[in-house]
Amino acid sequence: DPNLRAAAWEIAAQSDAPAFLTEARARETRLSPAERQRVIRLAGGAKTTEAGAWLRGLVDQLVAGQLTPELALDTIESVERHQDASVRDSLKRLPQAAGKNGVDRLRYVLTGGSAAAGRDVFRTHVGAQCIRCHDAGGEGKQAGPVLAGIGGRATRAELLESLLDPSAKLADGFAQTTVYLRDGDTIDGVRISESTDSITLRLLTGEKRVIARKDIDKLAANPVSPMPPMGDVLSAAQLRDVIEFLATWK
């Protein structure tokens, strides 16, 4: 059982790091991708020179373009956790970016995620709240585009772009309108219908609000998506899982 094996690797790493590393290296090529990701991450907490040597070797493979892409993010984040500064310094050989951690890890989130974990993030992550806008009842009943079948309509790179910069390309029919009322209040939503007497907005909550034109001072297009940039909300590993979930949602 994958969950049992995952727990066993974690216990082994905590109780006897040298034996864990010996076993992990011996089985490395026979493990599933998900299990290899786990043992690589566990190696980052192993306070042994053997762990450091293994991780440096993985960085060497990554620099040379020989490491399986699905293992790149786990290698980077494991190396960052290792106690030996010389091991951590091996990451300086990778392409750098201005991100808070230096290494441009987002190039490594397109593959290797868990669709099941991504589904959990989509449905339960308190900060992201994806389900609130994107799975609230279907077309016409939610504040964000319907994502069912998105895996057949967008590439992984496009999914990542939409997650990192939601305002870069707003989906048709979901451009926001800001309504300035005569009483000084403002209302933001998607304009879904209008008449000579009123306009109807779909709010972020999915609620429909009919606003009488006599109460409106002015209308303004709002080019900013109400969705926050997910790079500020989710970790790189969570982004990888969400991309896997969305890419397989067909």
Side-chain angles (χ1 to χ4, degrees):
D1 177 86
N3 293 324
L4 179 60
R5 293 176 66 84
W9 279 119
E10 188 162 346
I11 292 170
Q14 293 173 352
S15 62
D16 190 339
F20 156 75
L21 286 164
T22 298
E23 194 70 16
R25 295 298 303 276
R27 295 174 178 266
E28 186 177 2
T29 59
R30 303 197 302 274
L31 300 177
S32 68
E35 206 165 354
R36 290 185 73 186
Q37 289 175 341
R38 178 169 290 274
V39 297
I40 288 172
R41 284 185 174 271
L42 289 171
K47 300 177 180 180
T48 65
T49 56
E50 292 82 4
W54 183 28
L55 292 174
R56 269 194 294 262
L58 291 172
V59 172
D60 289 343
Q61 293 178 48
L62 181 55
V63 171
Q66 298 171 346
L67 186 68
T68 303
E70 289 83 354
L71 304 180
L73 179 62
D74 308 280
T75 295
I76 291 169
E77 296 192 344
S78 185
V79 169
E80 288 178 333
R81 292 175 50 236
H82 197 270
Q83 65 172 1
D84 189 334
S86 67
V87 175
R88 299 194 301 271
D89 286 345
S90 67
L91 291 177
K92 294 178 179 178
R93 299 167 55 205
L94 292 174
Q96 301 294 299
K100 60 183 179 181
N101 292 313
V103 176
D104 182 11
R105 72 200 58 219
L106 292 183
R107 69 182 62 202
Y108 304 117
V109 303
L110 297 182
T111 59
S114 162
R119 184 178 185 275
D120 287 342
V121 172
F122 183 88
R123 295 193 172 279
T124 66
H125 194 282
V126 175
Q129 298 193 50
C130 308
I131 193 172
R132 178 181 177 186
C133 295
H134 291 292
D135 197 14
E139 195 71 56
K141 298 182 180 179
Q142 56 191 43
V146 175
L147 296 183
I150 188 65
R153 304 192 300 271
T155 66
R156 290 171 183 258
E158 289 169 338
L159 291 172
L160 178 60
E161 179 186 16
S162 295
L163 287 165
L164 297 179
D165 188 2
S167 299
K169 185 179 180 182
L170 296 175
D172 291 342
F174 287 91
Q176 297 286 305
T177 294
T178 298
V179 179
Y180 295 87
L181 300 177
R182 296 186 185 279
D183 64 7
D185 286 343
T186 60
I187 302 174
D188 293 308
V190 176
R191 197 186 317 190
I192 56 176
S193 66
E194 55 187 299
S195 69
T196 56
D197 298 321
S198 66
I199 68 169
T200 302
L201 298 183
R202 183 169 58 245
L203 308 186
L204 185 61
T205 60
E207 169 193 357
K208 290 182 180 179
R209 177 78 62 85
V210 179
I211 306 169
R213 286 194 181 272
K214 64 181 180 62
D215 297 328
I216 298 174
D217 181 34
K218 64 177 180 177
L219 302 173
N222 186 347
V224 179
S225 171
M227 173 178 162
M230 286 294 130
D232 297 336
V233 179
L234 302 177
S235 68
Q238 288 172 324
L239 281 170
R240 182 175 66 175
D241 290 337
V242 170
I243 288 172
E244 189 67 28
F245 166 62
L246 295 175
T248 55
W249 194 359
K250 298 179 180 179

